[in-house]
Amino acid sequence: MITAVHLVQLFLAAAAPSPVAAATEEPLLGAGDYRRRLQRCVSGAAELAIPNCTAVIQTLDVPDEVLVAAFAKRGDARYARGEFVEALADYEAALGMAPAAVEVQMNLAAALGNLGRYRQAIEGYSKVIALRPTDARAYNSRGAAYVRVNEADLAIADYDRAISLDPRYAEAFNNRGVVRSALGQLDAALADFDAALKLDPRYADAFNNRAVALIRRGDNTAAVADLTRALELRPGFADAHYNRAVALERLGRAADAQKDYEAEKAARGKARP
């Protein structure tokens, strides 16, 4: 049995920052100086953004545009920490005051997706598309949400549109290839993975996904080469270890396959059920 295909960055957060280490900062400012707090809110690490944004939000007589920025940035900081329920509440508050804030709407849809609320995520990305019809990211992300609700045709249509808007969008090629591979459209899937890797030769997920299509087609030797490259690019990539074990088993290399199964177990912290 081949592992489920790994679909990269299923829900994109357009502005959510990556978590960063705590920084040294002077204490919060006095209640009246919301402008300096706002500066720290929008430019600080998550550990600093959340308290400073909260202080701005709690300040009386702050202009709506400032509150929108504070709610949105606090949402981004919470999103980066994996606090999707809290991030969602902040994005909703920001959109309540600024319904056309397209980046906030994008991140709200991403939070919904990370909470498993895929139908609502689709609605959210559709709002982004209505506001900005040429946003390739929104089509790509909505396509990923359609995958989660088993709407393959709609997913492919969205990936097609994302690629037409941005022909250098490696992730959209990869994601379309994932769907085509799952549907058994192996030649088309391989063409998509080839395109993704031409655009981004260090795209470990695309190497893994192309290998899955190759295994499905019976080309296990080529699959092992792709999975070895995926692991060079991303050591400890559990799906790649598992997929390489499958390919090695089919090549009669049981001992080598067992090593990959053990590596997958170590990477995941437990064996695959």
Side-chain angles (χ1 to χ4, degrees), residues 180-196:
R180 287 173 163 173
S181 179
L183 292 173
Q185 300 170 8
L186 299 181
D187 288 343
L190 288 167
D192 277 338
F193 297 134
D194 289 348

Side-chain angles (χ1 to χ4, degrees), residues 148-229:
R148 291 297 196 180
V149 296
N150 299 314
E151 297 279 4
D153 290 345
L154 293 174
I156 289 175
D158 270 356
Y159 295 140
D160 288 346
R161 182 59 175 151
I163 290 165
S164 71
L165 289 167
D166 183 0
R168 299 191 60 78
Y169 200 167
E171 184 178 314
F173 278 108
N174 174 72
N175 288 351
R176 188 173 68 181
V178 166
V179 179
R180 287 173 163 173
S181 179
L183 292 173
Q185 300 170 8
L186 299 181
D187 288 343
L190 288 167
D192 277 338
F193 297 134
D194 289 348
L197 288 165
K198 184 176 181 180
L199 291 165
D200 183 359
R202 299 184 61 80
Y203 197 164
D205 297 277
F207 276 110
N208 174 73
N209 294 337
R210 187 170 71 177
V212 170
L214 289 167
I215 292 171
R216 287 170 170 160
R217 198 169 70 172
D219 194 348
N220 294 292
T221 299
V224 168
D226 269 359
L227 292 161
T228 300
R229 181 57 178 153

